[in-house]
Amino acid sequence: MPSALPPTFPQEVTAKRPWRILIVGAAYGGITALMHFIDLSNGKQRLDHRADVPNFEGAVPARGVDVTVLDERDGFFHSVGAPLAHVSKPHTSNSWKRFKDQPILQRPNVHFILGSMQQLDCAAKSATYLDITTNSQKQLDYDYVIIATGIRRQWPVVPQVSTHVEYVREGLKHVGSVAGAKNGVVVVVGGGAVGIEFAAEVSLHHPTIRTILVHSRSQLLSAEPLLPDAFKSRALKVLQKEGVEVILGQRAYVAKEQKDDLAIITLTDGRVLEAGFVIDARSTSTPSTSFLPREALTEEGYVKATHFMTLPSHVPNHASHFTIGDINDWSGIKRAGNAMSMAQIASVNVWSAMLSDEHSEKQQSNCCSSRLSESVGAGSQTPPRTADDDGVQVKALADLSLDDEKDENNQSLAPLFPQAQFPDIPAVMGLAIGSNTVTWDGTDVKWGKELMAATFGTDLGWKGTLRHMGLSSEENVEVAEIANVEKQVDEVVRAEEKRVDNKHVEKVMVEELLSPSAKNLHRPSARYYSSTSARMSQSSLTSKIAVVGAGDVGSTVAYSLILNPVASEILLIDPKEEVRDAQIQDLSDATYHGNTTTQIRAAEHKEAGQADIIVITAGAPQKEGESRTDLVGKNLKILKSVIEDMKPFNESAILLVVANPVDILTHFAAKFSGLPKTQVLGSGTFLDSARLRGILASKAGVAASSIDAYVLGEHGESQVTAWSGVTIGGVPLEQVISAQDIDRDAIATQTKDKAATISDAKGATNYGVGGVAMSICKSLLYDEKIIRPVSHYVEEYGCCLSMPAVIGRKGILRTIKMPLNEEEKQAVEKSAKSMLDIIKDAEKDEE
């Protein structure tokens, strides 16, 4: 092991400004990284967790360290304990620790910002964030960044507010709704880990409440293929033993409208439940990575992190950018413990880099010359060093060789400390199921109350987590305000309990309510209350999607939305009522196979205008010999008529145009509707890009999901394949497939002409666009903030065309500016100009 850093440095080193470290996200990973930096700054180091990290022996950077933490909350929330905190009042307030109440965090070189990351410029090492306090965008420069933003999940899995007081109000009201469930029945929808733990905590802390868990699959934890069946079966048995009734193999459709303050829940086979409260624990999680470079992410938005916990090597300054926790595309199952272990690796690697930089700088000042080495694992020569704004030569440790290199005076230039690596990890899990637990350590399934006490204690591991991190477990100090909220919640609970006591609650045999052959119902007793639920928050499955046009494309879009349910209702609109009704009868048959709860029915244009998403497929197909301009004129008349009939629109409605020519119609849909341009988009080149990835995948012999490739501009003749940005597994295309093995022009033509080839043979292209429309609807309703090449208004070009864009619940959140070469830039500009010419001609015809 190298010796510790000398206690003093030359004056030119110590005079520089402190190293600037930015931590984005202050959950398990972010706070653990911060605590490591605090310990290391004090000359201490935690070596108990991993034996293979370098021992710094008290070494501290001479320049000092300044740490800024950016988070959307004013404190650390114990999300592992959410099932307990959101059903049991004594645990609610204390599950959120405000940063300002933690004495160990009150340091002159530690700063907290209540804000949301918007964009990270890796080349400039500059972060743009939204300051939540002032609601304004600000910038922050850094030397190193650790990104621990985690996965966005819905309430009540995690809080959706920013301050402790807001959370306590939100949490206690949820507790009150559970305790005061009108008919004494709570239904939990979703049989993943969160749903299991929520149901068990409700049953444990509210024994008079009848708790029912409904899961769409035939087995609990169906979204965890790495867990053995023995673990899943044991979890079911323990959950039943804790007093929870379990219904498997049935999707739960929660009606938007309540009946007598009760939620009406329809199961796939038509059975109906009623509940005083519903907890939606279905998984709609999305990685919070939209601000990162696209080339650093998988198609699903997870980070392609290295074993050093850095961004991949093709990202500028990758060795100064670390990512940890659930956002990483990693082996095993996403757990808080993994995030904390990754935090240790990232923090010691940042420390190693700073110490080694200063040590190298000292050597350079002595010998006036040095040689840069090859980057770790990169296999290529590193570029010359560049000075930052203060003139300090900055070079991350990952870009220095671990060999014992010498300068011209035979002095070692190797870094002081090697970087630590985070290994691939096996799938392990521990479930807290009421008073019991079930664990899988990769070898054995274990369970029992003694194991529960040792693993989770009585607070779902809260005090143990705080102790491990070094945070205080003292209560927060907003006593008066919290007490007032608790009083209000208690009054609500007492009122609900009184209503239950004064009302005769009919009990029926389960077999009477459910079919006698309901073999998927697991219950601890033979009876349960016939009524049940819900003041549940709006979720995607209480949303409506209107599909305008019941032809080949419109019906296929509806079919895709039924098979992949993202909304409660599909409204089908078409002036040809006979065709529309026949399509609805046919599509209704698709709802009976057991994997969907989405309902489809006929509607008029006025009702369609109030839907959450309106998919416009109505339009005439292009006939042989018909000019594109003629088609534009014809379909513009249809579009204008459809939009006028739908007015006034729901203010938050999203218009999704699928009809062709999609870019032109999207432009005019925004104009005719009067909706904000960010709420109007078209399918654009989404399908073209998917086709391109499919062709390249067959050439490279890899899965299409491993390829990043985009078609830009118009969906049509002038579309542009952005070859300069194509990567396979994060590696540039030309490094995977040699130029002589790939005919770029032929592939671009094949991609562009594929629709015409299909149409010529079968008369229409409907399945591909149906899948694309479903995917876009899912991204919108679930607020996925995922990047897709969709047609939308781009200010730079003055029209609607396809560029990668972040899409979420409010539509187009922002456009991603791709780094194109000069030829591609000119081609996109030409594509935009051709569409602007058509738009001008169409506007003249309108006049």
Side-chain angles (χ1 to χ4, degrees):
M1 182 62 66
S3 60
L5 198 66
T8 60
F9 273 88
Q11 183 63 35
E12 62 268 23
V13 175
T14 58
K16 304 304 180 183
R17 58 152 175 74
W19 293 101
R20 301 164 301 183
I21 300 173
L22 173 61
I23 299 175
V24 186
Y28 298 96
I31 289 296
T32 298
L34 173 61
M35 296 305 295
H36 276 293
F37 286 130
I38 290 175
D39 284 347
L40 290 167
S41 295
N42 292 331
K44 302 176 182 178
Q45 186 175 2
R46 304 182 187 190
L47 296 173
D48 57 325
H49 195 63
R50 295 183 56 85
D52 53 348
V53 299
N55 185 347
F56 298 117
E57 301 179 16
V60 176
R63 286 169 52 178
V65 174
D66 195 87
V67 185
T68 299
V69 181
L70 176 71
D71 194 76
E72 296 178 4
R73 303 186 185 117
D74 70 359
F76 168 57
F77 175 70
H78 183 47
S79 57
V80 171
L84 174 61
H86 298 163
V87 304
S88 175
K89 190 176 77 172
H91 297 89
T92 306
S93 174
N94 201 37
S95 292
W96 179 306
K97 294 297 183 187
R98 293 189 305 175
F99 303 130
K100 68 180 183 180
D101 295 333
Q102 294 293 316
I104 196 170
L105 303 181
Q106 310 313 306
R107 296 167 178 269
N109 65 331
V110 175
H111 320 280
F112 289 92
I113 297 176
L114 187 64
S116 173
M117 180 61 72
Q118 302 293 296
Q119 182 130 17
L120 209 64
D121 186 338
C122 296
K125 291 188 179 179
S126 179
T128 301
Y129 66 93
L130 177 68
D131 188 313
I132 293 175
T133 305
T134 62
N135 195 31
S136 60
Q137 278 201 345
K138 297 181 179 179
Q139 279 195 313
L140 187 67
D141 295 331
Y142 56 87
D143 296 310
Y144 294 93
V145 62
I146 296 179
I147 302 159
T149 43
I151 290 181
R152 291 195 179 277
R153 296 181 173 91
Q154 62 194 20
W155 175 258
V157 181
V158 294
Q160 307 297 301
V161 294
S162 296
T163 68
H164 179 241
V165 170
E166 290 174 310
Y167 162 66
V168 171
R169 185 179 295 112
E170 185 180 60
L172 289 179
K173 285 183 179 178
H174 192 272
V175 173
S177 296
V178 171
K182 180 179 177 181
N183 64 338
V185 177
V186 170
V187 170
V188 178
V189 182
V194 174
I196 292 169
E197 293 186 338
F198 260 104
E201 294 299 331
V202 172
S203 183
L204 176 65
H205 293 278
H206 304 277
T208 61
I209 294 287
R210 180 72 57 164
T211 308
I212 305 169
L213 183 144
V214 182
H215 186 51
S216 61
R217 305 299 180 185
S218 60
Q219 189 177 47
L220 293 179
L221 300 161
S222 54
E224 299 291 355
L226 299 178
L227 292 174
D229 289 344
F231 179 85
K232 298 174 182 180
S233 298
R234 179 56 56 184
L236 172 61
K237 292 177 181 178
V238 172
L239 186 61
Q240 291 176 258
K241 192 172 181 180
E242 289 293 309
V244 177
E245 298 175 11
V246 183
I247 301 176
L248 296 177
Q250 296 290 315
R251 286 191 180 273
Y253 160 61
V254 184
K256 199 168 185 178
E257 301 297 326
Q258 296 185 8
K259 178 182 178 182
D260 298 328
D261 294 329
L262 295 174
I264 308 301
I265 305 162
T266 304
L267 303 183
T268 306
D269 59 8
R271 290 174 284 167
V272 177
L273 310 178
E274 296 177 353
F277 193 65
V278 171
I279 297 175
D280 188 352
R282 287 170 289 199
S283 175
T284 56
S285 54
T286 305
S288 301
T289 56
S290 60
F291 55 86
L292 287 172
R294 179 182 57 81
E295 62 268 25
L297 307 176
T298 66
E299 187 174 349
E300 294 76 23
Y302 292 96
V303 181
K304 304 170 185 175
T306 70
H307 283 276
F308 301 106
M309 295 290 99
T310 64
L311 291 180
S313 60
H314 56 272
V315 176
N317 292 315
H318 74 98
S320 299
H321 294 78
F322 295 78
T323 61
I324 60 177
D326 290 353
I327 61 172
N328 281 352
D329 183 25
W330 213 261
S331 60
I333 294 173
K334 298 187 182 302
R335 299 166 56 247
N338 293 341
M340 295 163 77
S341 296
M342 290 179 182
Q344 182 180 24
I345 298 301
S347 57
V348 299
N349 284 345
V350 169
W351 207 258
S352 295
M354 294 187 298
L355 292 176
S356 295
D357 269 347
E358 291 186 355
H359 184 57
S360 176
E361 185 177 343
K362 177 193 174 186
Q363 290 177 318
Q364 290 177 39
S365 68
N366 290 336
C367 69
C368 300
S369 66
S370 66
R371 181 168 62 85
L372 292 178
S373 60
E374 293 180 351
S375 58
V376 175
S380 60
Q381 187 67 29
T382 53
R385 295 187 179 212
T386 55
D388 66 11
D389 52 88
D390 285 329
V392 177
Q393 296 294 327
V394 178
K395 190 68 180 177
L397 179 59
D399 292 328
L400 293 173
S401 171
L402 297 184
D403 296 331
D404 189 18
E405 301 196 24
K406 310 289 184 179
D407 64 15
E408 61 184 20
N409 296 320
N410 204 36
Q411 289 183 290
S412 174
L413 290 178
L416 280 179
F417 302 101
Q419 280 196 319
Q421 297 188 49
F422 190 74
D424 293 329
I425 52 178
V428 297
M429 178 175 273
L431 275 180
I433 308 179
S435 62
N436 213 318
T437 188
V438 180
T439 65
W440 166 250
D441 60 8
T443 303
D444 298 317
V445 176
K446 300 177 181 178
W447 65 93
K449 295 188 176 182
E450 291 183 1
L451 183 60
M452 173 68 181
T455 306
F456 292 100
T458 59
D459 57 3
L460 292 193
W462 185 215
K463 288 182 181 177
T465 299
L466 293 174
R467 186 166 53 250
H468 179 78
M469 288 182 166
L471 299 179
S472 169
S473 61
E474 293 298 316
E475 286 278 2
N476 290 318
V477 297
E478 301 152 310
V479 177
E481 187 159 5
I482 291 173
N484 184 46
V485 174
E486 288 181 340
K487 181 180 178 183
Q488 295 173 19
V489 171
D490 285 342
E491 290 173 356
V492 171
V493 173
R494 282 195 296 271
E496 291 292 347
E497 288 174 343
K498 185 175 181 181
R499 290 173 66 182
V500 172
D501 290 340
N502 292 340
K503 180 178 175 64
H504 172 66
V505 181
E506 180 186 2
K507 292 184 179 181
V508 296
M509 295 296 291
V510 171
E511 287 78 11
E512 294 175 9
L513 179 68
L514 308 173
S515 68
S517 60
K519 59 184 178 182
N520 287 325
L521 173 66
H522 304 276
R523 59 193 185 279
S525 63
R527 294 178 173 269
Y528 95 127
Y529 294 103
S530 63
S531 39
T532 146
S533 150
R535 304 171 191 90
M536 77 178 290
S537 58
Q538 289 290 329
S539 72
S540 61
L541 286 180
T542 57
S543 302
K544 292 181 182 179
I545 298 176
V547 179
V548 181
D552 288 333
V553 173
S555 60
T556 307
V557 169
Y559 183 63
S560 296
L561 290 168
I562 288 171
L563 293 189
N564 301 273
V566 297
S568 59
E569 280 190 311
I570 307 297
L571 310 181
L572 193 59
I573 297 92
D574 198 289
K576 297 178 180 178
E577 294 183 1
E578 187 175 346
V579 173
R580 177 201 65 190
D581 293 346
Q583 293 281 32
I584 288 172
Q585 290 180 51
D586 194 11
L587 288 165
S588 294
D589 291 342
T591 67
Y592 300 146
H593 64 83
N595 289 327
T596 184
T597 58
T598 300
Q599 305 295 308
I600 185 166
R601 62 180 176 84
E604 300 298 326
H605 288 86
K606 284 291 183 186
E607 185 177 4
Q610 300 308 304
D612 297 281
I613 299 176
I614 303 154
V615 184
I616 299 178
T617 71
Q622 189 169 3
K623 297 179 180 178
E624 188 174 349
E626 185 177 36
S627 72
R628 190 170 171 215
T629 305
D630 291 338
L631 179 64
V632 169
K634 189 190 305 182
N635 280 346
L636 271 182
K637 289 179 182 177
I638 296 173
L639 178 70
K640 189 170 186 179
S641 173
V642 164
I643 287 179
E644 289 299 324
D645 288 344
M646 286 192 288
K647 288 182 177 179
F649 286 98
N650 167 12
E651 289 183 359
S652 61
I654 307 290
L655 281 184
L656 172 58
V657 179
V658 174
N660 280 317
V662 65
D663 304 287
I664 306 299
L665 295 185
T666 302
H667 176 91
F668 281 99
K671 178 181 177 181
F672 295 154
S673 67
L675 289 169
K677 291 177 180 177
T678 55
Q679 291 174 220
V680 182
L681 62 151
S683 53
T685 59
F686 190 154
L687 182 54
D688 300 290
S689 299
R691 288 166 174 160
L692 174 63
R693 287 199 300 273
I695 295 170
L696 292 175
S698 65
K699 298 280 186 184
V702 300
S705 60
S706 299
I707 297 177
D708 279 329
Y710 287 98
V711 176
L712 309 177
E714 175 196 17
H715 167 60
E717 284 302 314
S718 66
Q719 67 186 42
V720 180
T721 301
W723 289 108
S724 64
V726 176
T727 62
I728 299 179
V731 179
L733 173 65
E734 58 273 14
Q735 295 182 25
V736 180
I737 306 176
S738 62
Q740 59 265 33
D741 291 336
I742 186 169
D743 187 336
R744 294 189 176 189
D745 291 339
I747 290 175
T749 301
Q750 182 184 353
T751 301
K752 181 182 66 176
D753 293 344
K754 188 173 183 180
T757 302
I758 295 171
S759 294
D760 289 345
K762 58 170 279 194
T765 57
N766 50 317
Y767 295 113
V769 74
V772 161
M774 180 281 298
S775 177
I776 294 173
C777 288
K778 177 175 176 286
S779 298
L780 292 167
L781 286 178
Y782 286 175
D783 195 27
E784 287 185 335
K785 295 183 174 64
I786 201 165
I787 298 172
R788 295 293 189 226
V790 293
S791 183
H792 62 288
Y793 184 78
V794 181
E795 188 76 35
E796 179 181 354
Y797 300 106
C799 64
C800 289
L801 50 75
S802 287
M803 295 291 284
V806 182
I807 56 178
R809 188 60 188 88
K810 294 183 179 179
I812 301 294
L813 304 183
R814 62 188 176 95
T815 303
I816 302 297
K817 190 173 179 63
M818 284 192 68
L820 304 175
N821 62 34
E822 197 58 38
E823 182 182 354
E824 292 164 348
K825 288 179 183 177
Q826 292 176 7
V828 173
E829 290 170 359
K830 183 178 178 181
S831 179
K833 185 179 183 304
S834 70
M835 287 187 286
L836 283 171
D837 290 342
I838 295 173
I839 289 169
K840 288 176 183 177
D841 291 341
E843 287 175 337
K844 287 178 183 177
D845 292 341
E846 271 200 285
E847 295 172 0

